[in-house]
């Protein structure tokens, strides 16, 4: 019985070997490389342009002076400030109107009729300094050099992207002689002192 079963067992074994050898004799199966999942990465943060670069790119009037340390960090704010005061020196009523607060827009036509363009032609230098008021609102101080005279005007500005609005602050004449150190901070310190004096009761005579 055992001898009779051997041919059958060997035939199965040979058949299995034949299948195995046939599989090994062909081309080796390609092993697929593991799929690498690439996680999206944030694009590199754009490098903010310097005041000098923006002035050149925007063809800003060379009478405007804004130092790096006196300018805001966001480039959009820098562009807005440079563009606003460039339009002012050029007496560009269209650009000014689009950037002025409503109340200041109402005064723009009267200023133009009163010879605003000729006044701006007399400006030999326009220095700008930026900062914040005590409540944290952004502002820019403009110091106009006209001959041997200097006049100061403070503006608040607010906005985002390419849209900014400028609002004139109350600024007394001949203010330049009363400012020192950080001129923007000095302006608000002076306003605070003036308000305190105004609240004091009048002395009885």
């Amino acid at each position: 019985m055992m001898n009779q079963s051997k041919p059958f067992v060997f035939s199965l074994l040979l058949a299995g070997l034949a299948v195995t050898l046939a599989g090994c004799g062909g081309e080796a199966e390609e092993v697929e490389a593991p799929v690498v999942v690439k996680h999206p990465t944030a694009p590199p943060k754009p490098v903010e342009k310097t005041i000098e670069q923006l002035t050149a790119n925007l063809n800003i009037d060379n009478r405007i002076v804004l130092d790096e340390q006196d300018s805001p960090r966001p480039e959009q704010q820098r562009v807005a400030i440079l563009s606003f005061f460039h339009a002012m020196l050029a007496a560009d009523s269209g650009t000014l109107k689009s950037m002025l607060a409503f109340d200041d827009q109402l005064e723009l036509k009267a200023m133009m009729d009163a010879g605003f363009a000729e006044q701006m032609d007399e400006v030999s230098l326009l220095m700008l300094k930026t900062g914040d008021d005590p409540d944290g609102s952004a502002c820019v101080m403009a110091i106009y050099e006209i001959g041997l005279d200097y006049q100061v005007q403070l503006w608040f500005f607010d906005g985002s992207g390419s849209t900014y609005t400028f609002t004139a602050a109350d600024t007394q004449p001949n203010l330049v002689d009363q400012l020192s150190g950080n001129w923007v901070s000095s302006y608000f310190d002076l306003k605070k002192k003036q308000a305190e004096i105004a609240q004091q009761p009048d002395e009885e005579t």
Side-chain angles (χ1 to χ4, degrees), residues 40-110:
T41 57
K45 188 177 180 180
V47 179
E48 302 286 356
K49 292 184 177 64
T50 65
I51 292 297
E52 184 179 0
Q53 290 171 326
L54 291 173
T55 299
N57 293 347
L58 299 171
N59 197 27
I60 297 299
D61 193 306
N62 59 15
R63 290 175 290 172
I64 295 175
V65 176
L66 175 58
D67 292 334
E68 284 290 333
Q69 65 268 24
D70 291 328
S71 66
R73 296 271 66 82
E75 184 176 310
Q76 293 172 336
Q77 291 185 6
R78 294 178 169 205
V79 170
I81 290 170
L82 291 171
S83 300
F84 177 72
F85 287 101
H86 175 82
M88 184 170 292
L89 288 179
D92 181 351
S93 60
T95 300
L96 287 174
K97 186 175 181 180
S98 70
M99 301 182 77
L100 284 172
F102 180 73
D103 289 343
D104 294 314
Q105 289 181 28
L106 298 178
E107 296 183 16
L108 180 61
K109 185 178 186 305

Side-chain angles (χ1 to χ4, degrees), residues 14 17 22 26 32 34 45 51-52 73 81 95 123 129 159 175 186 189 193 195-196:
L14 291 172
L17 288 173
E32 294 184 3
K45 188 177 180 180
I51 292 297
E52 184 179 0
R73 296 271 66 82
I81 290 170
T95 300
V123 175
K129 299 177 181 293
L175 184 63
S186 181
D189 290 340
K193 291 178 182 177
E196 291 173 350

Side-chain angles (χ1 to χ4, degrees), residues 156-175:
F156 290 98
F157 65 94
D158 184 41
S160 62
S162 59
T163 304
Y164 276 82
T165 300
F166 289 76
T167 304
D170 292 333
T171 311
Q172 66 188 58
N174 303 317
L175 184 63

